[in-house]
Amino acid sequence: MTMTTITPRKPAKTTTSRRRSDLDDKAADRAKLAAFAATIGAARTSLKRDACGDWILIGLTGHVSTNSAALYAVITCASARAWNNAKSRLSFATVTQDGDTEGVLRLDLPLTSADAETVRTTLRIRKARAMDEAALEALCAARQRSKFAPC
């Protein structure tokens, strides 16, 4: 009697091919979120990609994403009371998903400057630093003097 060993097959390599329209949609989503980030005064480093490769505007308590038609704010709070307070602060937005301590709000554009500031502070998105020419040159000079400068 002979024994045969069966070796498991390796799965076939699959490549994910993206359609041209997917890439165009992602570029359009990035442009839309970049314009929104400029409106609310968010830092440029707040605009990042998520695990799926979609562009989002990151904050400490949530993020803003888009589906090419509208902007959505996803908020995660520590308690039900904090979530209710966030909903009341963002009363100009439409609640699309309402959980116990988290939810999703659709941001109907255009926003006033006060509404934009409220979105940024509620989601705790980092604020962009306003710099004039003199401050920018001083910062560049300080970076060049640093021994940790990349150049």
Side-chain angles (χ1 to χ4, degrees), residues 87-126:
K87 280 193 297 188
S88 66
R89 273 188 303 240
L90 298 173
S91 61
F92 54 86
T94 307
V95 177
T96 58
Q97 292 181 4
D98 192 4
D100 292 337
T101 60
E102 62 189 11
V104 179
L105 301 159
R106 187 177 71 237
L107 301 172
D108 301 320
L109 297 177
L111 297 177
T112 64
S113 60
D115 292 345
E117 179 73 16
T118 304
V119 169
R120 192 183 57 74
T121 55
T122 302
L123 294 175
R124 295 179 62 194
I125 297 173
R126 200 165 71 87

Side-chain angles (χ1 to χ4, degrees), residues 12-20 22-23 26 51-53:
K13 289 190 176 186
T14 58
T15 58
T16 51
S17 61
R18 293 185 177 177
R19 296 186 317 252
R20 188 73 197 151
D22 290 343
L23 298 175
K26 293 209 187 248
C52 299

Side-chain angles (χ1 to χ4, degrees), residues 3-106:
M3 295 195 73
T4 19
T5 58
I6 300 173
T7 57
R9 281 180 117 181
K10 291 183 181 178
K13 289 190 176 186
T14 58
T15 58
T16 51
S17 61
R18 293 185 177 177
R19 296 186 317 252
R20 188 73 197 151
S21 62
D22 290 343
L23 298 175
D24 291 340
D25 289 345
K26 293 209 187 248
D29 290 347
R30 185 188 190 291
K32 189 172 192 172
L33 284 170
F36 182 72
T39 302
I40 65 173
R44 289 183 307 180
T45 56
S46 299
L47 186 59
K48 298 183 183 209
R49 288 183 183 255
D50 65 357
C52 299
D54 295 330
W55 289 98
I56 58 174
L57 194 59
I58 292 275
L60 291 177
T61 59
H63 66 271
V64 177
S65 62
T66 182
N67 66 350
S68 299
L71 292 171
Y72 292 93
V74 179
I75 302 174
T76 305
C77 299
S79 66
R81 184 176 184 176
W83 167 236
N84 287 329
N85 288 338
K87 280 193 297 188
S88 66
R89 273 188 303 240
L90 298 173
S91 61
F92 54 86
T94 307
V95 177
T96 58
Q97 292 181 4
D98 192 4
D100 292 337
T101 60
E102 62 189 11
V104 179
L105 301 159
R106 187 177 71 237

